[in-house]
Amino acid sequence: GDTLLLEASHQFVEQYRFRRDFLLVSALNDSTPPDFRKAPMALGILLLMVLVSAFGLLPIMEAAFLAAGAMLVTRCITASKARRYIDLPVLVVIAASFSLGNAMTLTGAAASIAELLIISDQISPWMAMALIYLLTAAFTEVITNNAAAVLMFPIAMAVAESLEVSYLPFVIAIMFAASASFITPLGYQTNMMVYGPGRYKFSDYIRLGVPLSLISGLVVVLVVPFVWAF
């Protein structure tokens, strides 16, 4: 006596629409059932892109563009769907963040903030990296993770230059901190996605996010310098 609601392909509908076991409820204009016949082709293009980039034959950007073109040529995805899947607002935010980060470097704002972070000549690179992590984690809770990373990158470079140490540990710390947005539902799209359906309150994110952020920060600050030395 069970009833199943199925989203099926056009071939399924044409073959079974007159069977009493199935009843066509409605057609979905944006229905995208997976076409498994193209799966090996798509996986092959993805693997080729990774190999070409890994062996240094092409930069990752060019390899990705060529892979995207191959997906269109082989009809793994249509041009109309590819256009719909491009999230222009996110791209605009990332582009604007790069402009802001570059402006901070050219105007000397990054160097000024770096001088404020280095409150003492005796501050250790470890402590400076912890401050960079903390500031990045604060930014990523109110703006996108991409914008937070781009905004903090020139500051981290200025701090590393002032301390005369490698910039790599600071960059790795920014990478982790920008992705550790647990304290507010605004920090990342997935936080907002579950905010309504899960009937969460803002305080729920703070109550669980603060300890999780502290644990993540502690692990990053303690481990990163051992892997990427100053």
Side-chain angles (χ1 to χ4, degrees), residues 103-171:
M104 292 185 64
T105 302
L106 295 177
T107 60
S112 299
I113 296 175
E115 291 177 1
L116 293 175
L117 288 177
I118 305 174
I119 54 180
S120 171
D121 294 336
Q122 303 301 321
I123 189 172
S124 65
W126 224 312
M127 181 62 68
M129 188 184 67
L131 292 174
I132 291 290
Y133 184 97
L134 184 63
L135 195 54
T136 307
F139 275 135
T140 199
E141 298 297 345
V142 293
I143 59 177
T144 67
N145 57 337
N146 304 298
V150 173
L151 188 63
M152 289 300 301
F153 181 79
I155 299 174
M157 295 292 288
V159 169
E161 185 177 351
S162 299
L163 296 175
E164 298 181 352
V165 294
S166 173
Y167 65 88
L168 193 55
F170 296 93
V171 174

Side-chain angles (χ1 to χ4, degrees), residues 19 28-29 68 73 87 89 96 105 111 126 152 171 182 191 206-207 229:
R19 293 276 296 272
L28 301 177
N29 294 327
V73 171
D87 198 336
T105 302
W126 224 312
M152 289 300 301
V171 174
F182 310 123
N191 295 16
I206 297 175
R207 181 163 48 87

Side-chain angles (χ1 to χ4, degrees), residues 1-205:
D2 293 338
T3 301
L4 300 177
L5 178 63
L6 306 176
E7 180 182 1
S9 63
H10 294 293
Q11 293 83 356
F12 183 91
V13 174
E14 292 170 0
Q15 186 174 357
Y16 293 103
R17 68 184 306 163
F18 298 112
R19 293 276 296 272
R20 298 182 61 185
D21 298 322
F22 301 99
L23 174 64
L24 177 62
V25 179
S26 64
L28 301 177
N29 294 327
D30 59 347
S31 177
T32 55
D35 185 0
F36 293 104
R37 295 172 301 174
K38 296 288 185 179
M41 180 72 69
L43 288 173
I45 293 172
L46 174 63
L47 179 61
L48 184 61
M49 181 197 75
V50 173
L51 291 176
V52 166
S53 177
F55 285 103
L57 300 178
L58 283 175
I60 183 63
M61 181 68 72
E62 295 179 10
F65 270 110
L66 290 176
M71 291 288 187
L72 292 173
V73 171
T74 56
R75 304 291 294 175
C76 290
I77 187 173
T78 62
S80 59
K81 288 181 180 178
R83 283 195 298 269
R84 289 201 303 269
Y85 292 154
I86 296 175
D87 198 336
L88 288 178
V90 172
L91 294 180
V92 170
V93 168
I94 294 173
S97 301
F98 276 110
S99 301
L100 181 58
N102 192 39
M104 292 185 64
T105 302
L106 295 177
T107 60
S112 299
I113 296 175
E115 291 177 1
L116 293 175
L117 288 177
I118 305 174
I119 54 180
S120 171
D121 294 336
Q122 303 301 321
I123 189 172
S124 65
W126 224 312
M127 181 62 68
M129 188 184 67
L131 292 174
I132 291 290
Y133 184 97
L134 184 63
L135 195 54
T136 307
F139 275 135
T140 199
E141 298 297 345
V142 293
I143 59 177
T144 67
N145 57 337
N146 304 298
V150 173
L151 188 63
M152 289 300 301
F153 181 79
I155 299 174
M157 295 292 288
V159 169
E161 185 177 351
S162 299
L163 296 175
E164 298 181 352
V165 294
S166 173
Y167 65 88
L168 193 55
F170 296 93
V171 174
I172 298 298
I174 289 176
M175 180 185 71
F176 281 108
S179 302
S181 50
F182 310 123
I183 301 177
T184 70
L186 310 174
Y188 200 67
Q189 296 95 319
T190 48
N191 295 16
M192 187 61 72
M193 286 170 60
V194 300
Y195 183 68
R199 298 181 181 178
Y200 293 112
K201 300 190 292 290
F202 204 95
S203 58
D204 294 330
Y205 285 85

